[in-house]
């Protein structure tokens, strides 16, 4: 196809950050006298932004005071620990290097923006991306198409020339709301069967598969 703007999700697509997110959240819970969560529990909750994650993890009965306290502690802990165990998925640097050149790549994540560039740079893949938007960007988090529209306008590309690549249904829904192409990847946190119900335009079993799509 030769897409001119390739927008990647971050967690579960480019990087596996589950261990650092879980560790940081459990430290925050411990500081507040709450019980820790398992990797599997955290994995089932991430992808739709920090506030949604905390609401699921803490439960509706949690007081606003407790919610705010855990939120504050988690941000503090994750800022210190976001690169301890986080790794890129096998084949990601090679895939990015093969795409790079004459086309624009960006990151659109529901992770807070301030966490994105540091972890990308720590993994030595930050230079591939012209722009990184997180869930607290001024245009709204996924599945809102607003940030996608800003990126297309900034780089002067059409909907037909743009694709989102991600591991969660929220990525596919974002693409659909923006009227652009989508690619679901199956190595991340989303479940393959669930992703397929959202009818992505393309699918990828490995990062190498992306090269034949874009």
């Amino acid at each position: 196809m030769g897409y001119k703007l390739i927008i990647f999700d971050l967690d579960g697509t480019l990087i596996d950050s589950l261990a650092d997110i879980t560790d940081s959240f459990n430290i925050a819970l411990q500081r507040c006298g709450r019980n820790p969560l398992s990797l599997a529990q955290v994995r089932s909750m991430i992808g739709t932004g920090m506030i949604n994650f905390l609401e699921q993890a803490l439960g509706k009965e949690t007081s606003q005071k407790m919610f705010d306290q855990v939120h504050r502690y988690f941000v503090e802990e994750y800022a210190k620990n976001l690169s301890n165990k986080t790794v890129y998925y096998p084949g990601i640097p090679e895939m990015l290097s093969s795409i790079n050149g004459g086309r624009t790549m960006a990151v659109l994540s529901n992770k807070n923006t301030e966490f994105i560039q540091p972890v990308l740079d720590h993994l030595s893949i930050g230079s591939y991306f012209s722009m990184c938007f997180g869930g607290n960007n001024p245009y709204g988090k996924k599945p809102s198409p607003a940030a996608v529209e800003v990126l297309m306008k900034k780089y002067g590309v059409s909907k037909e020339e743009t694709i989102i690549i991600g591991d969660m249904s929220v990525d596919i829904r974002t693409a659909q709301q923006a009227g652009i192409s989508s690619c679901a990847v199956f190595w991340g946190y989303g479940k393959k069967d669930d992703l397929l119900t959202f009818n992505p335009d393309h699918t990828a079993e490995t990062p190498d598969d992306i090269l034949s799509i874009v």
Side-chain angles (χ1 to χ4, degrees):
M1 172 64 191
Y3 293 102
K4 294 183 179 179
L5 174 58
I6 303 166
I7 303 172
F8 287 93
D9 171 53
L10 182 62
D11 303 89
T13 300
L14 297 173
I15 65 171
D16 182 358
S17 53
L18 181 61
D20 282 333
I21 291 172
T22 302
D23 288 350
S24 298
F25 186 56
N26 282 338
I27 293 172
L29 290 175
Q30 184 180 30
R31 291 175 67 180
C32 294
R34 300 285 293 255
N35 293 325
L37 298 181
S38 68
L39 285 169
Q41 287 175 304
V42 173
R43 177 177 180 145
S44 70
M45 298 174 189
I46 61 177
T48 57
M50 185 180 297
I51 299 302
N52 288 337
F53 164 63
L54 291 173
E55 287 175 347
Q56 292 179 76
L58 297 176
K60 294 181 179 179
E61 74 284 356
T62 301
S63 68
Q64 188 63 47
K65 181 179 179 180
M66 175 63 73
F67 184 93
D68 292 342
Q69 191 174 45
V70 174
H71 184 194
R72 183 173 69 255
Y73 289 158
F74 174 66
V75 171
E76 290 175 3
E77 295 298 334
Y78 191 57
K80 294 184 293 185
N81 300 300
L82 57 82
S83 298
N84 291 345
K85 301 176 182 177
T86 294
V87 296
Y88 49 70
Y89 288 99
I92 290 297
E94 294 83 359
M95 179 267 293
L96 294 174
S97 178
S98 295
I99 293 174
N100 198 29
R103 291 187 280 175
T104 300
M105 292 189 285
V107 169
L108 179 58
S109 169
N110 277 340
K111 180 195 290 290
N112 279 17
T113 302
E114 63 267 25
F115 298 140
I116 297 175
Q117 198 66 49
V119 73
L120 289 175
D121 289 344
H122 176 78
L123 297 173
S124 301
I125 57 175
S127 62
Y128 290 112
F129 303 101
S130 300
M131 182 72 70
C132 296
F133 280 148
N136 57 343
N137 76 78
Y139 312 108
K141 67 179 186 293
K142 298 180 291 188
S144 168
V148 174
E149 292 164 356
V150 170
L151 288 168
M152 289 191 294
K153 183 176 180 180
K154 178 177 177 62
Y155 296 109
V157 299
S158 67
K159 294 180 178 181
E160 293 75 20
E161 296 169 325
T162 306
I163 187 171
I164 286 182
I165 299 172
D167 71 307
M168 302 287 284
S169 64
V170 69
D171 301 303
I172 311 307
R173 290 185 286 130
T174 302
Q176 291 167 346
Q177 290 195 33
I180 66 174
S181 295
S182 62
C183 175
V185 305
F186 297 146
W187 57 79
Y189 306 143
K191 296 180 179 179
K192 182 176 181 178
D193 289 346
D194 292 341
L195 284 166
L196 291 174
T197 65
F198 288 88
N199 299 311
D201 298 297
H202 307 278
T203 61
E205 297 279 357
T206 69
D208 276 348
D209 293 338
I210 291 174
L211 297 177
S212 63
I213 294 168
V214 302

